[in-house]
Amino acid sequence: MDIRTHRSLIILFLVSLILLFVRVGIPETRQILSILFFYIALSEVFNLFTGLTLYVCFGYVAFVALGMYGGGATIKYLLSASSPPPLAVVLACAFAVAGILALILALAVGWISVRLKGAYFAIATIGLNEGLKNLIEGTGIWGGSSGLVIANDLIQSYNYDTFIFVTSELADYLIFTVYAVTILCIYLVIKSRLGYGLAALREDEEAANVMGVNVVRYKLIVFVISATLAGMLGAGKMIKDVAIYPPQAFAVSYTVEAIVISMLGGLGTVTGPVIGGLIYGVLKYVLTVSFPGLQLLALAPALMAMCVMFPYGIVGWLRRRFKGSKIESLLI
Amino acid sequence: MVTAEYVIFVTIAGVMLGTFYGLATIGLSFTFGILRILNSGHGSFVMIGAYISYWCFALLGLPPLVSSLLAFAVGFFMGFALYHGLISRVLGGPELISLVLMFAFGIFLQEVAKFSWSASPRGFTWGLGSINIFGYEYPLTRLIGGVVSAVIVLVLYVFLFRTKSGNAIRSVVEDPEGAALCGVNVSRVYALSLAIALGLTVASGALSTLFVSGGIEPYMGDPYTTRAFAIAVLGGLTSPFGSFLAGLLFGIIENLSYMLLSLANVGNPFSMTRFLTFAMILLVLLIRPQGLLKR
């Protein structure tokens, strides 16, 4: 295997590793870099489905929230035993359960919705977020509308220092791991038969179908992969936040942010969300400090302007600008 | 104890709610049927209407019946502005762009409402008393809301089938290119249709205060979005009058299912009804993606 064929991916991983080392080495960057890791991971996961298919799922945050609930409930259940299992086992189970729950939900919703085209898909999934939230509040599972808190369970089962380490250090590295895995997934998908089929689907779904691309199966595969990773990202966020309440967990702002970052960087690209996430993360950090609570008021017009004037994002623009040169081949 | 009278009462209440739901959904299928754009920020326009109704009542003492006319005018103007400012630039492009654009516009309206009028819920009561149906009290305002909704839909029907502009709109639905060849200004029809659709949606928001007197807040529109999507899908998405009938059906289903859920005592019936709305969208799309009311 020639390593040069994958050099764009290697460069991206090196940049990410540098960010990680900065995070480990300089404690002052902790706050902003953990925001960055989360948002880049969120939009990479979102991009894996929406970028590659150009189908938008407005209820996407439901998978992250389900992962948070699944992970949190698993941790609470395992720690309620008289002798709690080792931390690593607990966290691994939390991630596994979060991923599996998101996978099941994605299969159930996706099995119906990916058969539909364009706007019909959006209709089928826009209520996903609201629906799951109302199911949890209505039936009262997982604490219902009063939320699920695992901080005390962690402190009592281990000790306070471990709790601080897990929530402020380990959680960031876990989120970073989800981010790295997602990048690898998108890259592999793009370079595979699946990726070429999806490229054909983006150009013309009917034609791709006629030419033998099983569009329904292809859409379902990326939908499920993306949702599973979103669930695992949720587990990471749960370990970081140690609490979840329905109004915040199902906040529409996550969906908006994922769309903004993906479109700013470039839909359907691997590098796009990283570039978009870096810009957005820094902007958000500055905005939340100077104008708390007004970020969506600023984000929504920015997103509208992007739709009208700049639909291909930064990476899309750079690709056109440097068409045919070496730079284009680096911008995956 | 459930008596036959109670079931009839709940059904009548469902019919009134249903005509209102029909009106609140017509704008959505009108836009999708004509411009092929899905208004993913639909609920926010309902919310704007509810605020117009609230402020007209609180500041000027105008009842929702009068303020719904003002709401229509506001929505109509917004439709024109939105078409010429944003929509005309993304028509014919990838579907994703118009979906995200309308979604972002909906969020923008919510945030403007929150910024201007705070997130705390408001409400007002236009006390007209109630009438007696089989021994159950039914607020008169809801009866008025249902009847007025039906009248507005009738006016729309007359406009579409009896006027020149209405014929132009229907010809564009049939075949945009053919209509253009016959001298119809398609761009003008698009702008007019979006204006009418948003006008109706904002007006329905003003009328929504006749059914629910409180809870006017920036995010009140989200359940309306889900509901309108469920209704529009039931009615086949592209047909405005199909949506109206589906709305009628949906109002009855919602009221009856609320009654059954309260009786069965499974969780909070309010949240469960909303969850069932989402489940219903998926079910209808699975069984009859072309809509229940289409052949």
Side-chain angles (χ1 to χ4, degrees):
Chain A
M1 192 185 77
D2 188 359
I3 200 161
R4 273 176 299 178
T5 52
H6 300 292
R7 76 185 149 198
S8 44
L9 183 70
I10 293 164
I11 292 173
L12 196 58
F13 266 115
L14 287 178
V15 172
S16 310
L17 275 180
I18 292 170
L19 283 179
L20 186 66
F21 282 130
V22 170
R23 162 72 181 76
V24 177
I26 311 170
E28 288 77 20
T29 60
R30 196 180 77 77
Q31 206 180 357
I32 184 159
L33 279 178
S34 55
I35 292 178
L36 279 182
F37 289 166
F38 177 74
Y39 278 109
I40 297 177
L42 181 73
S43 16
E44 287 284 0
V45 169
F46 179 81
N47 203 17
L48 177 55
F49 174 70
T50 297
L52 293 184
T53 58
L54 291 189
Y55 273 58
V56 61
C57 173
F58 289 115
Y60 201 77
V61 60
F63 295 114
V64 180
L66 186 64
M68 288 180 78
Y69 269 112
T74 311
I75 292 174
K76 212 174 179 66
Y77 173 76
L78 289 176
L79 295 187
S80 64
S82 50
S83 57
L87 185 64
V89 176
V90 173
L91 295 185
C93 287
F95 268 86
V97 171
I100 290 168
L101 282 179
L103 184 139
I104 293 170
L105 181 67
L107 273 177
V109 172
W111 189 72
I112 298 172
S113 58
V114 296
R115 285 156 208 280
L116 308 162
K117 289 204 181 106
Y120 282 83
F121 177 82
I123 292 176
T125 51
I126 201 167
L128 179 59
N129 194 23
E130 186 93 13
L132 188 64
K133 179 182 163 195
N134 280 306
L135 182 67
I136 288 172
E137 287 185 344
T139 53
I141 44 170
W142 291 329
S145 34
S146 46
L148 183 71
V149 185
I150 56 166
N152 270 334
D153 307 72
L154 281 169
I155 296 174
Q156 276 163 13
S157 301
Y158 305 105
N159 54 47
Y160 191 72
D161 290 339
T162 318
F163 169 73
I164 292 294
F165 170 74
V166 169
T167 54
S168 62
E169 297 288 325
L170 192 59
D172 281 354
Y173 305 144
L174 291 172
I175 289 175
F176 182 83
T177 312
V178 176
Y179 151 72
V181 170
T182 312
I183 285 188
L184 194 63
C185 276
I186 301 192
Y187 186 77
L188 291 176
V189 168
I190 288 179
K191 297 284 173 194
S192 71
R193 190 185 161 84
L194 180 61
Y196 291 116
L198 290 171
L201 182 152
R202 285 199 297 275
E203 291 294 325
D204 188 334
E205 187 165 342
E206 305 246 327
N209 202 4
V210 170
M211 295 305 286
V213 177
N214 189 340
V215 285
V216 171
R217 203 174 80 193
Y218 279 26
K219 281 189 279 183
L220 186 61
I221 292 173
V222 277
F223 187 64
V224 168
I225 298 177
S226 158
T228 310
L229 288 166
M232 292 187 169
L233 182 63
K237 185 161 172 56
M238 186 66 191
I239 293 164
K240 189 170 170 57
D241 294 356
V242 294
I244 178 172
Y245 305 98
Q248 283 89 21
F250 294 97
V252 72
S253 60
Y254 288 129
T255 308
V256 181
E257 283 167 320
I259 301 175
V260 168
I261 297 171
S262 302
M263 282 190 66
L264 179 65
L267 280 169
T269 63
V270 186
T271 38
V274 180
I275 297 173
L278 284 175
I279 296 172
Y280 177 73
V282 174
L283 270 181
K284 183 185 164 86
Y285 186 71
V286 175
L287 277 177
T288 12
V289 172
S290 39
F291 307 100
L294 294 183
Q295 48 189 3
L296 270 179
L297 189 62
L299 264 188
L303 185 53
M304 277 146 51
M306 263 189 268
C307 284
V308 175
M309 298 184 294
F310 206 47
Y312 301 102
I314 294 170
V315 172
W317 180 79
L318 285 174
R319 271 187 188 165
R320 289 174 177 212
R321 176 78 181 72
F322 297 103
K323 202 163 180 68
S325 72
K326 240 179 184 168
I327 298 173
E328 196 204 353
S329 65
L330 285 181
L331 295 164
I332 41 168
Chain B
M1 187 57 212
V2 181
T3 56
E5 281 88 358
Y6 186 61
V7 174
I8 295 171
F9 167 72
V10 170
T11 312
I12 292 175
V15 170
M16 288 301 141
L17 189 64
T19 35
F20 161 67
Y21 281 168
L23 177 68
T25 311
I26 267 191
L28 185 76
S29 44
F30 208 65
T31 323
F32 191 74
I34 297 164
L35 284 90
R36 294 277 143 190
I37 280 186
L38 181 72
N39 184 358
S40 37
H42 182 77
S44 297
F45 294 95
V46 177
M47 176 270 298
I48 294 290
Y51 266 108
I52 290 175
S53 182
Y54 171 78
W55 286 117
C56 280
F57 193 85
L59 298 178
L60 308 169
L62 291 175
L65 282 186
V66 182
S67 52
S68 63
L69 292 174
L70 177 68
F72 182 84
V74 170
F76 196 81
F77 178 75
M78 275 168 90
F80 265 111
L82 196 60
Y83 180 80
H84 290 294
L86 296 170
I87 300 291
S88 59
R89 292 159 204 259
V90 299
L91 270 184
E95 207 158 25
L96 174 99
I97 300 293
S98 63
L99 278 170
V100 172
L101 181 64
M102 290 312 290
F103 188 70
F105 192 78
I107 306 264
F108 178 63
L109 287 182
Q110 287 179 345
E111 293 306 310
V112 169
K114 185 179 141 196
F115 185 72
S116 327
W117 306 311
S118 89
S120 52
R122 297 160 189 272
F124 67 94
T125 325
W126 185 36
L128 290 181
S130 50
I131 54 163
N132 194 308
I133 304 176
F134 295 122
Y136 296 94
E137 295 290 310
Y138 188 69
L140 201 56
T141 50
R142 296 192 183 184
L143 189 71
I144 295 174
V147 173
V148 170
S149 301
V151 170
I152 294 177
V153 174
L154 197 69
V155 171
L156 178 72
Y157 186 86
V158 171
F159 168 75
L160 278 181
F161 287 86
R162 292 282 180 273
T163 66
K164 208 176 168 194
S165 302
N167 280 333
I169 291 179
R170 286 190 301 124
S171 72
V172 171
V173 175
E174 292 281 324
D175 183 354
E177 283 180 17
L181 282 174
C182 296
V184 175
N185 185 342
V186 175
S187 172
R188 217 182 64 106
V189 166
Y190 281 159
L192 180 68
S193 310
L194 188 67
I196 292 174
L198 294 184
L200 290 173
T201 308
V202 178
S204 79
L207 293 177
S208 77
T209 56
L210 291 170
F211 288 89
V212 190
S213 54
I216 301 171
E217 45 104 7
Y219 306 107
M220 66 174 277
D222 290 341
Y224 281 100
T225 309
T226 322
R227 217 178 262 143
F229 280 10
I231 295 168
V233 161
L234 265 180
L237 200 57
T238 52
S239 133
F241 298 105
S243 277
F244 180 73
L245 289 178
L248 203 60
L249 188 66
F250 188 85
I252 300 169
I253 295 176
E254 192 180 87
N255 261 15
L256 288 177
S257 75
Y258 189 87
M259 184 188 86
L260 289 175
L261 283 167
S262 313
L263 284 174
N265 205 11
V266 275
N268 170 359
F270 182 70
S271 294
M272 289 309 282
T273 314
R274 288 190 178 179
F275 165 70
L276 288 177
T277 309
F278 168 65
M280 200 173 101
I281 296 181
L282 285 182
L283 198 68
V284 172
L285 285 174
L286 177 68
I287 304 168
R288 279 187 75 85
Q290 72 274 43
L292 284 185
L293 302 169
K294 277 206 177 155
R295 281 178 176 246

